[in-house]
Amino acid sequence: MTETPDPRPSGATPEHQHEPTRDLGPIWETEPQGQPAYAAPPPRRRRGAGLAAAVLATSVLAGGAAGVGGAAAWQEWGPEPTSATTTSSGTASASPVLDAAPAPAATDGSVQAAAEAVLPSVVKINVSGSGGSGSGSGVVLTEDGQILTNHHVVEVAEEGGTITVDFADGSHARAEILGLDPLTDTALIQAQDVSGLTPASIGSSSALAVGQDVVAIGSPFGLDATVTSGIVSALDRPVDVGTDSEGNATVYPAVQTDAAINPGNSGGPLVDLAGRVVGINSSIRTTGSSSPFGQTSEGGSIGLGFAIPIDEIMPIVEQMAAGEAPTHARLGISVSDVGVDVGSGGSGSGPGSSSTEGALVVDGAQVRTVGAGSTAGEAGLQEGDIITGIDDRAITSADSLVATIRSYRPGDEVTVTFERDGEEQTTTLVLDSDADQS
C-alpha cells in the first residue's frame, strides 16, 4: 500500500474516498494556478448575518487581496458609520492615544520562546526543474549552509533543476543537493557562498510524550516563517507515503501532531517548547472541501499532520554530509497485512490467517518470503509466521513492521515476537543493512 508524494498540485480527495493507501496527502504541493482575484462586491443594501457568515467562511486562498475584501465586507454589512470624528460643538476630536509599549518578553517554555529560538534557522526553499516548480521549507544545520529538508521537496531539481533558499534575514542563495534518501523522505542541501548562519538546536524524538506541546514552523502555501502550535497526538504512527524506483516503501514511524501543517510546510521543523528540533514535517491527511460559490479548494490542515522523528533522520544526514550513500536496517523478508476472513466468504485465508464463525481480524505482519542468507532466515523465521512485536513495540500491520525496523540502524540487535500455528515464539537477531544487497 503506497501513496507517492507529488510536488505538483494534487486534487482534493472527497471525504470517505480513500487513496491507494492511508489517504495521506503530500505536504508539499504547488499552489493552484489561475485562482481568480478577489474583487470587492458592488455597493448594495445591508443584508442579514447569514450572508456575512458565508463571506467570512470563504478560504483565504480565494485571492491575494484579503485585506481589501475584508474591508469591503465590513463596510457593507457592518454597523452604520457614526460621526465619531466631531464633537457636539462641531470641532474635531483629539486623536486616539496609541499604546507603544513593547510586547512582553517571551517566557521560557512558551510557544513564543520556542519560535524566537528556531525562526532564524528556518528557510523557505524554492525549486524548479523539468517536472515543475514549487516551494517547501528547510532547517539550517551548520553555519556554512547545510540545510535539512524532505526528499520530495527537492527531487524535482535532481536532474539539472535549480534550488534557491530564502533566509530569515531576507537574504537569498543558490543551493545544490548533497544527498537524497527517498526511503526516509530526507534530503540535505548546501547553500552557496554563505556563512554565519544560525544552526538549529537538535533535540531527541525518543523523549517525546503524547500530549506534549510542540511548534511547527515553515512556509505553508509560500507564507514563509509561519508558526503554528499544537500537541503530540500520537507516536510511532506508521505512515506510508510512496515507493522508490526499486519498489521500496517510504514508511516511517511518524510523530503525529495537530499543529496546523499545510502544503509548503514540508521540510520545516517540529520543535519542542525548548526550541529543539524533534521532527521534520513531511505529510498530512487532507479532505476535500468546497467554497460557498461551488468551487473545490485544495485540501489543507484538518489537524492530522505527521513529522519524521529526528532520531531516525540524523544518522542518515551524517552519512549524506560525509558523501556516503544512506543505509537502512532490514530483516530480509517480504511481508503483508494479515488476512481478514469473514465467514466462508472472506479473503485472506492464506498461511497465518484463521477464521471462526463471524469475523476475525488478526493484527501483525505476515511473512510472505524469506531472503536466502537473511538475518530473519538465520534466526528461524518462516513463510506464514505472523510478526506481532519488535522489542517492546507492538506490530499491527506490514507498514507497522517496516516503520519500526526503519527506526533502528544496521547492526542493532532486536527481539522478534511472532506466532506460528497459534503459538507465540520469540527470537533474537542482528539487523541486516541494505548496503549488503547485491
Side-chain angles (χ1 to χ4, degrees):
M1 302 195 302
T2 61
E3 182 176 19
T4 305
D6 188 347
R8 294 166 293 182
S10 60
T13 303
E15 189 173 6
H16 306 305
Q17 177 178 333
H18 295 284
E19 296 289 339
T21 62
R22 288 185 173 75
D23 193 25
L24 291 166
I27 187 158
W28 178 57
E29 307 172 45
T30 56
E31 296 186 32
Q33 302 297 316
Q35 287 277 16
Y38 184 88
R44 63 183 81 166
R45 291 174 295 180
R46 296 178 62 194
R47 298 188 179 180
L51 183 55
V55 171
L56 293 177
T58 303
S59 169
V60 70
L61 297 180
V68 175
W74 174 252
Q75 291 169 1
E76 183 172 358
W77 293 293
E80 296 292 343
T82 60
S83 51
T85 57
T86 59
T87 64
S88 58
S89 61
T91 59
S93 64
S95 299
V97 177
L98 301 179
D99 184 358
T107 57
D108 290 344
S110 66
V111 172
Q112 181 183 352
E116 288 180 357
V118 181
L119 275 170
S121 306
V122 181
V123 301
K124 179 183 175 186
I125 299 174
N126 309 288
V127 298
S128 63
S130 59
S133 62
S135 66
S137 306
V139 58
V140 174
L141 296 182
T142 64
E143 292 184 358
D144 62 354
Q146 286 188 6
I147 297 169
L148 173 61
T149 186
N150 284 140
H151 171 269
H152 74 259
V153 169
V154 297
E155 64 177 329
V156 69
E158 183 177 3
E159 300 294 337
T162 60
I163 303 174
T164 60
V165 178
D166 300 341
F167 294 99
D169 63 359
S171 61
H172 314 277
R174 285 290 189 98
E176 63 180 16
I177 296 174
L178 288 182
L180 295 171
D181 184 37
L183 294 190
T184 58
D185 195 16
T186 303
L188 187 66
I189 63 174
Q190 175 70 60
Q192 303 297 298
D193 302 320
V194 297
S195 61
L197 301 179
T198 303
S201 175
I202 304 299
S204 174
S205 50
S206 63
L208 290 174
V210 174
Q212 177 178 337
D213 293 320
V214 286
V215 178
I217 305 178
S219 303
F221 297 102
L223 302 172
D224 63 303
T226 295
V227 177
T228 60
S229 65
I231 63 169
V232 174
S233 303
L235 294 168
D236 298 322
R237 184 74 77 190
V239 172
D240 182 344
V241 293
T243 57
D244 65 8
S245 59
E246 298 178 353
N248 297 308
T250 301
V251 185
Y252 50 86
V255 178
Q256 181 180 329
T257 179
D258 67 347
I261 296 174
N262 285 287
N265 271 112
S266 263
L270 185 72
V271 303
D272 60 21
L273 293 190
R276 299 170 299 200
V277 179
V278 293
I280 297 298
N281 302 317
S282 182
S283 59
I284 57 174
R285 181 166 182 171
T286 62
T287 182
S289 61
S290 299
S291 74
F293 307 106
Q295 296 173 325
T296 299
S297 62
E298 185 175 4
S301 174
I302 58 171
L304 294 173
F306 304 94
I308 309 169
I310 198 65
D311 291 356
E312 178 179 343
I313 291 175
M314 292 312 295
I316 301 296
V317 169
E318 291 170 3
Q319 288 181 309
M320 292 190 292
E324 302 171 0
T327 59
H328 314 86
R330 62 193 299 264
L331 283 168
I333 59 177
S334 66
V335 294
S336 67
D337 291 341
V338 176
V340 178
D341 197 341
V342 183
S344 61
S347 61
S349 57
S353 63
S354 59
S355 65
T356 60
E357 294 183 4
L360 177 64
V361 178
V362 180
D363 289 335
Q366 184 172 331
V367 178
R368 292 299 183 183
T369 62
V370 179
S374 67
T375 186
E378 292 175 353
L381 287 172
Q382 300 175 9
E383 179 181 343
D385 290 345
I386 300 175
I387 298 176
T388 58
I390 299 292
D391 289 337
D392 60 350
R393 293 162 70 173
I395 301 301
T396 58
S397 65
D399 279 351
S400 174
L401 177 62
V402 175
T404 299
I405 295 301
R406 289 275 166 77
S407 67
Y408 290 89
R409 296 298 300 156
D412 287 346
E413 183 178 87
V414 299
T415 298
V416 180
T417 303
F418 62 98
E419 291 185 6
R420 179 184 299 165
D421 299 327
E423 180 183 349
E424 184 175 276
Q425 303 182 43
T426 61
T427 185
T428 300
L429 53 83
V430 176
L431 294 172
D432 285 337
S433 171
D434 57 3
D436 300 330
Q437 291 178 274
S438 57

